[in-house]
Amino acid sequence: MATAAIKITECPRDAMQGMHQFIPTEIKAAYINLLLQVGFDTIDFGSFVSAKAIPQLQDTAAVLQMLDMGNTQSKLLAIIANYRGAEDAAKHKEITYLGFPFSISETFQKRNTNAGIDESFDTVKRINALCGQSDKQLLVYLSMGFGNPYGDDWNVDIIQHWTEKLIAEGIKTIALADTIGIATPNQISEIYPMLCREYPETEFGIHLHATPDAWQDKIAAAYQSGCKRFDTAIKGYGGCPMATDELTGNIATENLIGYLESQNELTGLNLAKFQQAMAYSGKVFS
C-alpha cells in the first residue's frame, strides 16, 4: 500500500445525486464548507456530467466557487463520465482528483456512461493523459467489482485483468466499488488483499454500499484485509441512481468512525466539526 494512514473520503456528491428535490446551491456549498473543516482526506463534492443525467449536480461549478479552500487540508474530487467532463473539471485548480467510474459490467457501463467497456478504457487513457497535463490525479472506480445483476460475466479473473490494464496505463489509485451493495464479507476478504498483494505500488480504496443492517461486517472485512482508504457518506445517504435500491445507500461515516475507534485506529478528524456537519445535513437531505 502507498500509505499507512487511514484516509476517509466523505461523499456528499454520492449522497446528493439521487435526490429528486433540487438542493439550493448555497445549501450545498455551506454543507461542503463544513465538511472541509472536519479533516477528511478527500471530499467527493460534485460531478461534471450531463445535467440531463444528474440534474441535482448541474451547479457543481457554482458550488466550487463558493468553497473556502484556504483553511483545509482536504482534497477535492469530482466525478466525470467522459472526456468532455474531464476537460471541464480540469480547468479548476482547486480540484485534485478526477474520478471515473469504470465498470467491468458491459451493461452497467453503457447505462452509466453511454459507452461500452473497451470504449471507456480508451476514455480512461485519454483522461489520464489530460490529468498529467493539468496537474490532476485520476482515480478509477472499478464498479460492479463484486458482481452485477445484469447477467454479464463476472469473476475474480476479470477484476484482475482490468486492474492490470489500468495500472499498465499509469493509474495509481483504484477504488473497488460495490455499486449495488451485493458484496459479501468473504468476497471482500478474498479480492481486496489479492489486489494489494499483486499490485503493491497501487493505492486501493473501497467504496461500499449496504443496507443499514449490513454495513459492519463489510467494513470489518475491508479493514481486516488491510484497507486504509474508505468512501462513506454522513448518515448513509445516497447510492448510485443508475442502479438503485432505495434501501441500499452508502456506508454511514459515523458508523465507520465508530468502528475505527473500536479498533483503536486514530482518524485525525475534528469530531466537533463533524457533529456540526451531521446536524447541518438535516437541511440538505430534508
Side-chain angles (χ1 to χ4, degrees), residues 32-240:
I32 296 168
N33 274 323
L34 280 172
L35 297 173
L36 285 167
Q37 298 307 307
V38 175
F40 295 112
D41 180 79
T42 302
I43 307 292
D44 175 357
F45 83 103
S47 64
F48 291 83
V49 300
S50 162
K52 183 178 178 181
I54 309 288
Q56 184 63 251
L57 300 177
Q58 61 188 290
D59 59 348
T60 289
V63 169
L64 181 57
Q65 297 308 308
M66 301 171 70
L67 299 185
D68 179 8
M69 300 301 296
N71 190 31
T72 181
Q73 297 299 310
S74 298
K75 299 177 280 291
L76 292 180
L77 180 150
I79 296 296
I80 43 91
N82 54 36
Y83 189 78
R84 179 180 175 182
E87 286 183 308
D88 291 342
K91 295 173 184 174
H92 299 279
K93 67 180 187 305
E94 300 90 347
I95 295 173
T96 297
Y97 291 109
L98 304 190
F100 184 86
F102 181 80
S103 181
I104 60 173
S105 159
E106 181 80 10
T107 304
F108 185 68
Q109 190 67 35
K110 287 179 177 176
R111 286 181 59 161
N112 202 28
T113 66
N114 202 31
I117 293 177
D118 290 336
E119 183 181 351
S120 295
F121 185 68
D122 288 338
T123 300
V124 167
K125 291 191 282 188
R126 294 180 66 208
I127 293 173
N128 198 39
L130 174 67
C131 286
Q133 298 159 11
S134 309
D135 194 29
K136 307 297 180 196
Q137 299 176 47
L138 180 56
L139 187 157
V140 174
Y141 295 90
L142 209 57
S143 80
M144 296 293 172
F146 296 93
N148 69 78
Y150 307 114
D152 300 324
D153 287 343
W154 182 93
N155 56 56
V156 173
D157 289 341
I158 293 173
I159 296 173
Q160 192 163 7
H161 168 78
W162 286 109
T163 300
E164 190 167 312
K165 286 177 72 71
L166 289 165
I167 291 171
E169 292 298 330
I171 306 302
K172 293 181 170 54
T173 311
I174 296 173
L176 195 59
D178 181 19
T179 313
I180 55 173
I182 61 174
T184 67
N186 285 343
Q187 280 182 311
I188 295 168
S189 298
E190 175 190 4
I191 296 168
Y192 189 89
M194 179 271 291
L195 293 176
C196 293
R197 286 193 304 271
E198 292 291 326
Y199 312 104
E201 300 304 312
T202 303
E203 184 175 13
F204 289 99
I206 200 155
H207 184 110
L208 297 172
H209 292 160
T211 53
D213 61 345
W215 68 270
Q216 187 162 352
D217 289 346
K218 295 185 183 188
I219 286 294
Y223 178 77
Q224 291 164 14
S225 295
C227 184
K228 302 289 186 181
R229 186 184 186 107
F230 295 90
D231 292 5
T232 57
I234 281 176
K235 297 184 180 177
Y237 291 119
C240 180

Side-chain angles (χ1 to χ4, degrees), residues 255-274:
N255 288 343
L256 173 66
I257 292 171
Y259 176 80
L260 293 172
E261 288 179 343
S262 76
Q263 303 300 307
N264 297 314
E265 188 76 59
L266 298 176
T267 64
L269 300 180
N270 182 328
L271 295 181
K273 290 291 185 183
F274 180 72

